[in-house]
Amino acid sequence: MITLWELGGRNGRRYSLFSWRTRMALAHKGLAFESKPVCMSDKAVIAFSGGKTVPIVKDGETVVRDSWKIAEHLEDRYPSAPTLFGGDIGRGVTHAFNVWVDRAAVLPMLAVIVADVHERVEPADEHYFRESMEKILKMTFEEARKGRAEAMSRLTRTLEPMQALLKRQPWIAGAQPAYADYILFSIFQWARVMSPHPVVENPLLEWFERVLDLHGSFARNVPTA
Ligand SMILES: N[C@@H](CCC(=O)N[C@@H](CS)C(=O)NCC(=O)O)C(=O)O
């Protein structure tokens, strides 16, 4: 049995974008797992991992922290299950895409949804979440709310290359979905779970719906905003 430690929000929401990458990777590989929701501010429960972030996976006796390392672990440990990367070159290119999404797209999405996320974190996390996110964004949540339209334009500009790509091929990974799709998907699922405002436009929206349908609608049927 595989155990996944991840952020738990109000009403059973699972809102860590990085853990959505892991969730999708596990579903892609056909692996069952047990979810252990944790509070962002409670570092004691995840101290066993040697770090301060989730997702963390325990697979047998092996503990792996960091969504990218977890994806590599699953690919290496379960080579006969459907591939996440499609070989060594695919692994390298997917890693490049992982770095691009983390460096270019995560903060623009955070700026759009942060105040909505704050309303849906566990009460025990409200203070910690506000303090750490306001520091990262260098603005208050009140300023973030006021600047939402501008943040949305910045996000749309950032994602324009992906809009163009998805006019030409059905999946980020090409002819079939793979881990690269789950990397981009994670930021939209984060918004879907924690914000009532729509953030996805066509053709990204059609692609997003296709990802939600994957693996028996695994990501569709979850608590959302
Ligand atoms: N590079 C890491 C990033 C993990 C990460 O930042 N996780 C967030 C939740 S989405 C976290 O645990 N934050 C804890 C904190 O900020 O104290 C990964 O891909 O797993």
mmCIF file with all atom_site columns, all heavy atoms in Angstrom, residues 41-67:
data_model
loop_
_atom_site.group_PDB
_atom_site.id
_atom_site.type_symbol
_atom_site.label_atom_id
_atom_site.label_alt_id
_atom_site.label_comp_id
_atom_site.label_asym_id
_atom_site.label_entity_id
_atom_site.label_seq_id
_atom_site.pdbx_PDB_ins_code
_atom_site.Cartn_x
_atom_site.Cartn_y
_atom_site.Cartn_z
_atom_site.occupancy
_atom_site.B_iso_or_equiv
_atom_site.pdbx_formal_charge
_atom_site.auth_seq_id
_atom_site.auth_comp_id
_atom_site.auth_asym_id
_atom_site.auth_atom_id
_atom_site.pdbx_PDB_model_num
ATOM 1   N N   . SER A 1 41 ? 0.676  24.190 8.393  1.00 0.00 ? 41 SER A N   1
ATOM 2   C CA  . SER A 1 41 ? 1.434  24.735 9.521  1.00 0.00 ? 41 SER A CA  1
ATOM 3   C C   . SER A 1 41 ? 1.951  23.651 10.465 1.00 0.00 ? 41 SER A C   1
ATOM 4   O O   . SER A 1 41 ? 2.739  23.939 11.359 1.00 0.00 ? 41 SER A O   1
ATOM 5   C CB  . SER A 1 41 ? 0.537  25.695 10.308 1.00 0.00 ? 41 SER A CB  1
ATOM 6   O OG  . SER A 1 41 ? -0.679 25.055 10.632 1.00 0.00 ? 41 SER A OG  1
ATOM 7   N N   . ASP A 1 42 ? 1.502  22.408 10.270 1.00 0.00 ? 42 ASP A N   1
ATOM 8   C CA  . ASP A 1 42 ? 1.898  21.335 11.190 1.00 0.00 ? 42 ASP A CA  1
ATOM 9   C C   . ASP A 1 42 ? 3.080  20.561 10.621 1.00 0.00 ? 42 ASP A C   1
ATOM 10  O O   . ASP A 1 42 ? 2.913  19.586 9.879  1.00 0.00 ? 42 ASP A O   1
ATOM 11  C CB  . ASP A 1 42 ? 0.691  20.398 11.413 1.00 0.00 ? 42 ASP A CB  1
ATOM 12  C CG  . ASP A 1 42 ? 0.983  19.361 12.485 1.00 0.00 ? 42 ASP A CG  1
ATOM 13  O OD1 . ASP A 1 42 ? 2.122  19.338 13.003 1.00 0.00 ? 42 ASP A OD1 1
ATOM 14  O OD2 . ASP A 1 42 ? 0.074  18.578 12.803 1.00 0.00 ? 42 ASP A OD2 1
ATOM 15  N N   . LYS A 1 43 ? 4.283  21.005 10.987 1.00 0.00 ? 43 LYS A N   1
ATOM 16  C CA  . LYS A 1 43 ? 5.480  20.369 10.425 1.00 0.00 ? 43 LYS A CA  1
ATOM 17  C C   . LYS A 1 43 ? 5.856  19.090 11.187 1.00 0.00 ? 43 LYS A C   1
ATOM 18  O O   . LYS A 1 43 ? 6.617  18.266 10.669 1.00 0.00 ? 43 LYS A O   1
ATOM 19  C CB  . LYS A 1 43 ? 6.667  21.350 10.428 1.00 0.00 ? 43 LYS A CB  1
ATOM 20  C CG  . LYS A 1 43 ? 6.424  22.626 9.618  1.00 0.00 ? 43 LYS A CG  1
ATOM 21  C CD  . LYS A 1 43 ? 6.077  22.317 8.183  1.00 0.00 ? 43 LYS A CD  1
ATOM 22  C CE  . LYS A 1 43 ? 5.748  23.562 7.376  1.00 0.00 ? 43 LYS A CE  1
ATOM 23  N NZ  . LYS A 1 43 ? 5.068  23.261 6.115  1.00 0.00 ? 43 LYS A NZ  1
ATOM 24  N N   . ALA A 1 44 ? 5.290  18.937 12.416 1.00 0.00 ? 44 ALA A N   1
ATOM 25  C CA  . ALA A 1 44 ? 5.667  17.761 13.226 1.00 0.00 ? 44 ALA A CA  1
ATOM 26  C C   . ALA A 1 44 ? 5.232  16.460 12.552 1.00 0.00 ? 44 ALA A C   1
ATOM 27  O O   . ALA A 1 44 ? 5.977  15.480 12.541 1.00 0.00 ? 44 ALA A O   1
ATOM 28  C CB  . ALA A 1 44 ? 5.048  17.879 14.612 1.00 0.00 ? 44 ALA A CB  1
ATOM 29  N N   . VAL A 1 45 ? 4.020  16.460 11.942 1.00 0.00 ? 45 VAL A N   1
ATOM 30  C CA  . VAL A 1 45 ? 3.516  15.199 11.369 1.00 0.00 ? 45 VAL A CA  1
ATOM 31  C C   . VAL A 1 45 ? 4.297  14.739 10.138 1.00 0.00 ? 45 VAL A C   1
ATOM 32  O O   . VAL A 1 45 ? 4.224  13.573 9.761  1.00 0.00 ? 45 VAL A O   1
ATOM 33  C CB  . VAL A 1 45 ? 2.007  15.242 10.984 1.00 0.00 ? 45 VAL A CB  1
ATOM 34  C CG1 . VAL A 1 45 ? 1.124  15.166 12.175 1.00 0.00 ? 45 VAL A CG1 1
ATOM 35  C CG2 . VAL A 1 45 ? 1.684  16.421 10.114 1.00 0.00 ? 45 VAL A CG2 1
ATOM 36  N N   . ILE A 1 46 ? 5.022  15.678 9.509  1.00 0.00 ? 46 ILE A N   1
ATOM 37  C CA  . ILE A 1 46 ? 5.782  15.253 8.313  1.00 0.00 ? 46 ILE A CA  1
ATOM 38  C C   . ILE A 1 46 ? 7.291  15.272 8.567  1.00 0.00 ? 46 ILE A C   1
ATOM 39  O O   . ILE A 1 46 ? 8.079  15.095 7.637  1.00 0.00 ? 46 ILE A O   1
ATOM 40  C CB  . ILE A 1 46 ? 5.422  16.104 7.060  1.00 0.00 ? 46 ILE A CB  1
ATOM 41  C CG1 . ILE A 1 46 ? 5.658  17.603 7.292  1.00 0.00 ? 46 ILE A CG1 1
ATOM 42  C CG2 . ILE A 1 46 ? 3.991  15.830 6.630  1.00 0.00 ? 46 ILE A CG2 1
ATOM 43  C CD1 . ILE A 1 46 ? 5.649  18.418 5.997  1.00 0.00 ? 46 ILE A CD1 1
ATOM 44  N N   . ALA A 1 47 ? 7.677  15.444 9.853  1.00 0.00 ? 47 ALA A N   1
ATOM 45  C CA  . ALA A 1 47 ? 9.113  15.501 10.193 1.00 0.00 ? 47 ALA A CA  1
ATOM 46  C C   . ALA A 1 47 ? 9.845  14.228 9.777  1.00 0.00 ? 47 ALA A C   1
ATOM 47  O O   . ALA A 1 47 ? 11.026 14.258 9.420  1.00 0.00 ? 47 ALA A O   1
ATOM 48  C CB  . ALA A 1 47 ? 9.279  15.764 11.683 1.00 0.00 ? 47 ALA A CB  1
ATOM 49  N N   . PHE A 1 48 ? 9.118  13.075 9.766  1.00 0.00 ? 48 PHE A N   1
ATOM 50  C CA  . PHE A 1 48 ? 9.741  11.789 9.393  1.00 0.00 ? 48 PHE A CA  1
ATOM 51  C C   . PHE A 1 48 ? 10.353 11.843 7.990  1.00 0.00 ? 48 PHE A C   1
ATOM 52  O O   . PHE A 1 48 ? 11.246 11.071 7.662  1.00 0.00 ? 48 PHE A O   1
ATOM 53  C CB  . PHE A 1 48 ? 8.705  10.648 9.453  1.00 0.00 ? 48 PHE A CB  1
ATOM 54  C CG  . PHE A 1 48 ? 7.674  10.743 8.352  1.00 0.00 ? 48 PHE A CG  1
ATOM 55  C CD1 . PHE A 1 48 ? 7.866  10.097 7.140  1.00 0.00 ? 48 PHE A CD1 1
ATOM 56  C CD2 . PHE A 1 48 ? 6.528  11.496 8.527  1.00 0.00 ? 48 PHE A CD2 1
ATOM 57  C CE1 . PHE A 1 48 ? 6.929  10.201 6.108  1.00 0.00 ? 48 PHE A CE1 1
ATOM 58  C CE2 . PHE A 1 48 ? 5.583  11.608 7.507  1.00 0.00 ? 48 PHE A CE2 1
ATOM 59  C CZ  . PHE A 1 48 ? 5.782  10.959 6.301  1.00 0.00 ? 48 PHE A CZ  1
ATOM 60  N N   . SER A 1 49 ? 9.856  12.787 7.160  1.00 0.00 ? 49 SER A N   1
ATOM 61  C CA  . SER A 1 49 ? 10.321 12.845 5.757  1.00 0.00 ? 49 SER A CA  1
ATOM 62  C C   . SER A 1 49 ? 11.640 13.599 5.638  1.00 0.00 ? 49 SER A C   1
ATOM 63  O O   . SER A 1 49 ? 12.280 13.571 4.589  1.00 0.00 ? 49 SER A O   1
ATOM 64  C CB  . SER A 1 49 ? 9.273  13.554 4.898  1.00 0.00 ? 49 SER A CB  1
ATOM 65  O OG  . SER A 1 49 ? 9.263  14.953 5.196  1.00 0.00 ? 49 SER A OG  1
ATOM 66  N N   . GLY A 1 50 ? 12.020 14.296 6.711  1.00 0.00 ? 50 GLY A N   1
ATOM 67  C CA  . GLY A 1 50 ? 13.247 15.083 6.664  1.00 0.00 ? 50 GLY A CA  1
ATOM 68  C C   . GLY A 1 50 ? 13.037 16.446 6.028  1.00 0.00 ? 50 GLY A C   1
ATOM 69  O O   . GLY A 1 50 ? 13.997 17.200 5.835  1.00 0.00 ? 50 GLY A O   1
ATOM 70  N N   . GLY A 1 51 ? 11.792 16.793 5.677  1.00 0.00 ? 51 GLY A N   1
ATOM 71  C CA  . GLY A 1 51 ? 11.544 18.090 5.037  1.00 0.00 ? 51 GLY A CA  1
ATOM 72  C C   . GLY A 1 51 ? 10.279 18.754 5.551  1.00 0.00 ? 51 GLY A C   1
ATOM 73  O O   . GLY A 1 51 ? 9.648  18.262 6.499  1.00 0.00 ? 51 GLY A O   1
ATOM 74  N N   . LYS A 1 52 ? 9.911  19.867 4.921  1.00 0.00 ? 52 LYS A N   1
ATOM 75  C CA  . LYS A 1 52 ? 8.777  20.663 5.421  1.00 0.00 ? 52 LYS A CA  1
ATOM 76  C C   . LYS A 1 52 ? 7.660  20.810 4.394  1.00 0.00 ? 52 LYS A C   1
ATOM 77  O O   . LYS A 1 52 ? 6.777  21.658 4.545  1.00 0.00 ? 52 LYS A O   1
ATOM 78  C CB  . LYS A 1 52 ? 9.289  22.049 5.812  1.00 0.00 ? 52 LYS A CB  1
ATOM 79  C CG  . LYS A 1 52 ? 10.234 21.971 6.997  1.00 0.00 ? 52 LYS A CG  1
ATOM 80  C CD  . LYS A 1 52 ? 10.614 23.331 7.508  1.00 0.00 ? 52 LYS A CD  1
ATOM 81  C CE  . LYS A 1 52 ? 11.357 23.138 8.814  1.00 0.00 ? 52 LYS A CE  1
ATOM 82  N NZ  . LYS A 1 52 ? 12.299 24.158 9.126  1.00 0.00 ? 52 LYS A NZ  1
ATOM 83  N N   . THR A 1 53 ? 7.741  20.067 3.303  1.00 0.00 ? 53 THR A N   1
ATOM 84  C CA  . THR A 1 53 ? 6.705  20.204 2.280  1.00 0.00 ? 53 THR A CA  1
ATOM 85  C C   . THR A 1 53 ? 6.063  18.856 1.953  1.00 0.00 ? 53 THR A C   1
ATOM 86  O O   . THR A 1 53 ? 6.638  17.797 2.177  1.00 0.00 ? 53 THR A O   1
ATOM 87  C CB  . THR A 1 53 ? 7.288  20.779 0.959  1.00 0.00 ? 53 THR A CB  1
ATOM 88  O OG1 . THR A 1 53 ? 8.298  19.881 0.465  1.00 0.00 ? 53 THR A OG1 1
ATOM 89  C CG2 . THR A 1 53 ? 7.873  22.167 1.144  1.00 0.00 ? 53 THR A CG2 1
ATOM 90  N N   . VAL A 1 54 ? 4.847  18.944 1.430  1.00 0.00 ? 54 VAL A N   1
ATOM 91  C CA  . VAL A 1 54 ? 4.177  17.787 0.844  1.00 0.00 ? 54 VAL A CA  1
ATOM 92  C C   . VAL A 1 54 ? 4.092  18.055 -0.665 1.00 0.00 ? 54 VAL A C   1
ATOM 93  O O   . VAL A 1 54 ? 4.187  19.207 -1.076 1.00 0.00 ? 54 VAL A O   1
ATOM 94  C CB  . VAL A 1 54 ? 2.770  17.589 1.451  1.00 0.00 ? 54 VAL A CB  1
ATOM 95  C CG1 . VAL A 1 54 ? 2.868  17.156 2.884  1.00 0.00 ? 54 VAL A CG1 1
ATOM 96  C CG2 . VAL A 1 54 ? 1.911  18.831 1.319  1.00 0.00 ? 54 VAL A CG2 1
ATOM 97  N N   . PRO A 1 55 ? 3.927  17.058 -1.488 1.00 0.00 ? 55 PRO A N   1
ATOM 98  C CA  . PRO A 1 55 ? 3.600  15.676 -1.182 1.00 0.00 ? 55 PRO A CA  1
ATOM 99  C C   . PRO A 1 55 ? 4.795  14.857 -0.703 1.00 0.00 ? 55 PRO A C   1
ATOM 100 O O   . PRO A 1 55 ? 5.934  15.107 -1.067 1.00 0.00 ? 55 PRO A O   1
ATOM 101 C CB  . PRO A 1 55 ? 3.093  15.130 -2.525 1.00 0.00 ? 55 PRO A CB  1
ATOM 102 C CG  . PRO A 1 55 ? 3.838  15.917 -3.553 1.00 0.00 ? 55 PRO A CG  1
ATOM 103 C CD  . PRO A 1 55 ? 3.954  17.298 -2.953 1.00 0.00 ? 55 PRO A CD  1
ATOM 104 N N   . ILE A 1 56 ? 4.416  13.835 0.108  1.00 0.00 ? 56 ILE A N   1
ATOM 105 C CA  . ILE A 1 56 ? 5.370  12.812 0.544  1.00 0.00 ? 56 ILE A CA  1
ATOM 106 C C   . ILE A 1 56 ? 4.683  11.463 0.284  1.00 0.00 ? 56 ILE A C   1
ATOM 107 O O   . ILE A 1 56 ? 3.491  11.322 0.551  1.00 0.00 ? 56 ILE A O   1
ATOM 108 C CB  . ILE A 1 56 ? 5.651  12.924 2.054  1.00 0.00 ? 56 ILE A CB  1
ATOM 109 C CG1 . ILE A 1 56 ? 6.218  14.300 2.415  1.00 0.00 ? 56 ILE A CG1 1
ATOM 110 C CG2 . ILE A 1 56 ? 6.589  11.812 2.517  1.00 0.00 ? 56 ILE A CG2 1
ATOM 111 C CD1 . ILE A 1 56 ? 6.008  14.677 3.871  1.00 0.00 ? 56 ILE A CD1 1
ATOM 112 N N   . VAL A 1 57 ? 5.449  10.540 -0.231 1.00 0.00 ? 57 VAL A N   1
ATOM 113 C CA  . VAL A 1 57 ? 4.909  9.212  -0.477 1.00 0.00 ? 57 VAL A CA  1
ATOM 114 C C   . VAL A 1 57 ? 5.715  8.194  0.305  1.00 0.00 ? 57 VAL A C   1
ATOM 115 O O   . VAL A 1 57 ? 6.936  8.295  0.382  1.00 0.00 ? 57 VAL A O   1
ATOM 116 C CB  . VAL A 1 57 ? 4.933  8.912  -2.005 1.00 0.00 ? 57 VAL A CB  1
ATOM 117 C CG1 . VAL A 1 57 ? 5.113  7.447  -2.288 1.00 0.00 ? 57 VAL A CG1 1
ATOM 118 C CG2 . VAL A 1 57 ? 3.664  9.425  -2.674 1.00 0.00 ? 57 VAL A CG2 1
ATOM 119 N N   . LYS A 1 58 ? 5.006  7.216  0.908  1.00 0.00 ? 58 LYS A N   1
ATOM 120 C CA  . LYS A 1 58 ? 5.689  6.063  1.514  1.00 0.00 ? 58 LYS A CA  1
ATOM 121 C C   . LYS A 1 58 ? 5.218  4.846  0.734  1.00 0.00 ? 58 LYS A C   1
ATOM 122 O O   . LYS A 1 58 ? 4.028  4.544  0.686  1.00 0.00 ? 58 LYS A O   1
ATOM 123 C CB  . LYS A 1 58 ? 5.330  5.946  3.000  1.00 0.00 ? 58 LYS A CB  1
ATOM 124 C CG  . LYS A 1 58 ? 6.115  4.865  3.708  1.00 0.00 ? 58 LYS A CG  1
ATOM 125 C CD  . LYS A 1 58 ? 6.158  5.136  5.220  1.00 0.00 ? 58 LYS A CD  1
ATOM 126 C CE  . LYS A 1 58 ? 7.062  4.151  5.921  1.00 0.00 ? 58 LYS A CE  1
ATOM 127 N NZ  . LYS A 1 58 ? 6.377  2.895  6.273  1.00 0.00 ? 58 LYS A NZ  1
ATOM 128 N N   . ASP A 1 59 ? 6.170  4.230  0.089  1.00 0.00 ? 59 ASP A N   1
ATOM 129 C CA  . ASP A 1 59 ? 5.879  3.080  -0.766 1.00 0.00 ? 59 ASP A CA  1
ATOM 130 C C   . ASP A 1 59 ? 6.673  1.910  -0.202 1.00 0.00 ? 59 ASP A C   1
ATOM 131 O O   . ASP A 1 59 ? 7.891  1.843  -0.398 1.00 0.00 ? 59 ASP A O   1
ATOM 132 C CB  . ASP A 1 59 ? 6.322  3.425  -2.206 1.00 0.00 ? 59 ASP A CB  1
ATOM 133 C CG  . ASP A 1 59 ? 5.999  2.323  -3.186 1.00 0.00 ? 59 ASP A CG  1
ATOM 134 O OD1 . ASP A 1 59 ? 5.367  1.334  -2.784 1.00 0.00 ? 59 ASP A OD1 1
ATOM 135 O OD2 . ASP A 1 59 ? 6.371  2.459  -4.373 1.00 0.00 ? 59 ASP A OD2 1
ATOM 136 N N   . GLY A 1 60 ? 6.000  1.026  0.537  1.00 0.00 ? 60 GLY A N   1
ATOM 137 C CA  . GLY A 1 60 ? 6.738  0.005  1.279  1.00 0.00 ? 60 GLY A CA  1
ATOM 138 C C   . GLY A 1 60 ? 7.569  0.712  2.336  1.00 0.00 ? 60 GLY A C   1
ATOM 139 O O   . GLY A 1 60 ? 7.060  1.504  3.123  1.00 0.00 ? 60 GLY A O   1
ATOM 140 N N   . GLU A 1 61 ? 8.883  0.482  2.293  1.00 0.00 ? 61 GLU A N   1
ATOM 141 C CA  . GLU A 1 61 ? 9.767  1.114  3.279  1.00 0.00 ? 61 GLU A CA  1
ATOM 142 C C   . GLU A 1 61 ? 10.378 2.403  2.735  1.00 0.00 ? 61 GLU A C   1
ATOM 143 O O   . GLU A 1 61 ? 11.119 3.092  3.427  1.00 0.00 ? 61 GLU A O   1
ATOM 144 C CB  . GLU A 1 61 ? 10.886 0.134  3.679  1.00 0.00 ? 61 GLU A CB  1
ATOM 145 C CG  . GLU A 1 61 ? 10.422 -1.024 4.546  1.00 0.00 ? 61 GLU A CG  1
ATOM 146 C CD  . GLU A 1 61 ? 9.548  -0.565 5.711  1.00 0.00 ? 61 GLU A CD  1
ATOM 147 O OE1 . GLU A 1 61 ? 10.001 0.261  6.531  1.00 0.00 ? 61 GLU A OE1 1
ATOM 148 O OE2 . GLU A 1 61 ? 8.378  -1.015 5.791  1.00 0.00 ? 61 GLU A OE2 1
ATOM 149 N N   . THR A 1 62 ? 10.094 2.717  1.470  1.00 0.00 ? 62 THR A N   1
ATOM 150 C CA  . THR A 1 62 ? 10.729 3.877  0.837  1.00 0.00 ? 62 THR A CA  1
ATOM 151 C C   . THR A 1 62 ? 9.896  5.138  1.033  1.00 0.00 ? 62 THR A C   1
ATOM 152 O O   . THR A 1 62 ? 8.709  5.165  0.697  1.00 0.00 ? 62 THR A O   1
ATOM 153 C CB  . THR A 1 62 ? 10.902 3.620  -0.687 1.00 0.00 ? 62 THR A CB  1
ATOM 154 O OG1 . THR A 1 62 ? 11.516 2.348  -0.853 1.00 0.00 ? 62 THR A OG1 1
ATOM 155 C CG2 . THR A 1 62 ? 11.740 4.692  -1.351 1.00 0.00 ? 62 THR A CG2 1
ATOM 156 N N   . VAL A 1 63 ? 10.545 6.190  1.558  1.00 0.00 ? 63 VAL A N   1
ATOM 157 C CA  . VAL A 1 63 ? 9.884  7.490  1.713  1.00 0.00 ? 63 VAL A CA  1
ATOM 158 C C   . VAL A 1 63 ? 10.463 8.445  0.673  1.00 0.00 ? 63 VAL A C   1
ATOM 159 O O   . VAL A 1 63 ? 11.682 8.581  0.551  1.00 0.00 ? 63 VAL A O   1
ATOM 160 C CB  . VAL A 1 63 ? 10.109 8.063  3.136  1.00 0.00 ? 63 VAL A CB  1
ATOM 161 C CG1 . VAL A 1 63 ? 9.567  9.493  3.246  1.00 0.00 ? 63 VAL A CG1 1
ATOM 162 C CG2 . VAL A 1 63 ? 9.453  7.166  4.173  1.00 0.00 ? 63 VAL A CG2 1
ATOM 163 N N   . VAL A 1 64 ? 9.579  9.074  -0.110 1.00 0.00 ? 64 VAL A N   1
ATOM 164 C CA  . VAL A 1 64 ? 10.039 10.027 -1.133 1.00 0.00 ? 64 VAL A CA  1
ATOM 165 C C   . VAL A 1 64 ? 9.272  11.336 -0.976 1.00 0.00 ? 64 VAL A C   1
ATOM 166 O O   . VAL A 1 64 ? 8.037  11.336 -0.897 1.00 0.00 ? 64 VAL A O   1
ATOM 167 C CB  . VAL A 1 64 ? 9.820  9.491  -2.579 1.00 0.00 ? 64 VAL A CB  1
ATOM 168 C CG1 . VAL A 1 64 ? 10.547 10.368 -3.593 1.00 0.00 ? 64 VAL A CG1 1
ATOM 169 C CG2 . VAL A 1 64 ? 10.257 8.047  -2.721 1.00 0.00 ? 64 VAL A CG2 1
ATOM 170 N N   . ARG A 1 65 ? 9.998  12.452 -0.929 1.00 0.00 ? 65 ARG A N   1
ATOM 171 C CA  . ARG A 1 65 ? 9.382  13.775 -0.832 1.00 0.00 ? 65 ARG A CA  1
ATOM 172 C C   . ARG A 1 65 ? 9.745  14.566 -2.080 1.00 0.00 ? 65 ARG A C   1
ATOM 173 O O   . ARG A 1 65 ? 10.847 14.400 -2.604 1.00 0.00 ? 65 ARG A O   1
ATOM 174 C CB  . ARG A 1 65 ? 9.890  14.503 0.421  1.00 0.00 ? 65 ARG A CB  1
ATOM 175 C CG  . ARG A 1 65 ? 9.297  15.896 0.616  1.00 0.00 ? 65 ARG A CG  1
ATOM 176 C CD  . ARG A 1 65 ? 9.744  16.480 1.949  1.00 0.00 ? 65 ARG A CD  1
ATOM 177 N NE  . ARG A 1 65 ? 11.151 16.284 2.193  1.00 0.00 ? 65 ARG A NE  1
ATOM 178 C CZ  . ARG A 1 65 ? 12.096 17.084 1.719  1.00 0.00 ? 65 ARG A CZ  1
ATOM 179 N NH1 . ARG A 1 65 ? 11.789 18.132 1.006  1.00 0.00 ? 65 ARG A NH1 1
ATOM 180 N NH2 . ARG A 1 65 ? 13.364 16.823 1.977  1.00 0.00 ? 65 ARG A NH2 1
ATOM 181 N N   . ASP A 1 66 ? 8.842  15.382 -2.555 1.00 0.00 ? 66 ASP A N   1
ATOM 182 C CA  . ASP A 1 66 ? 8.978  16.224 -3.748 1.00 0.00 ? 66 ASP A CA  1
ATOM 183 C C   . ASP A 1 66 ? 8.295  15.518 -4.936 1.00 0.00 ? 66 ASP A C   1
ATOM 184 O O   . ASP A 1 66 ? 8.619  14.388 -5.273 1.00 0.00 ? 66 ASP A O   1
ATOM 185 C CB  . ASP A 1 66 ? 10.455 16.507 -4.097 1.00 0.00 ? 66 ASP A CB  1
ATOM 186 C CG  . ASP A 1 66 ? 10.564 17.478 -5.262 1.00 0.00 ? 66 ASP A CG  1
ATOM 187 O OD1 . ASP A 1 66 ? 10.470 17.038 -6.415 1.00 0.00 ? 66 ASP A OD1 1
ATOM 188 O OD2 . ASP A 1 66 ? 10.707 18.680 -5.009 1.00 0.00 ? 66 ASP A OD2 1
ATOM 189 N N   . SER A 1 67 ? 7.343  16.250 -5.547 1.00 0.00 ? 67 SER A N   1
ATOM 190 C CA  . SER A 1 67 ? 6.517  15.622 -6.583 1.00 0.00 ? 67 SER A CA  1
ATOM 191 C C   . SER A 1 67 ? 7.337  15.090 -7.761 1.00 0.00 ? 67 SER A C   1
ATOM 192 O O   . SER A 1 67 ? 7.026  14.035 -8.316 1.00 0.00 ? 67 SER A O   1
ATOM 193 C CB  . SER A 1 67 ? 5.440  16.594 -7.070 1.00 0.00 ? 67 SER A CB  1
ATOM 194 O OG  . SER A 1 67 ? 6.016  17.764 -7.591 1.00 0.00 ? 67 SER A OG  1
#
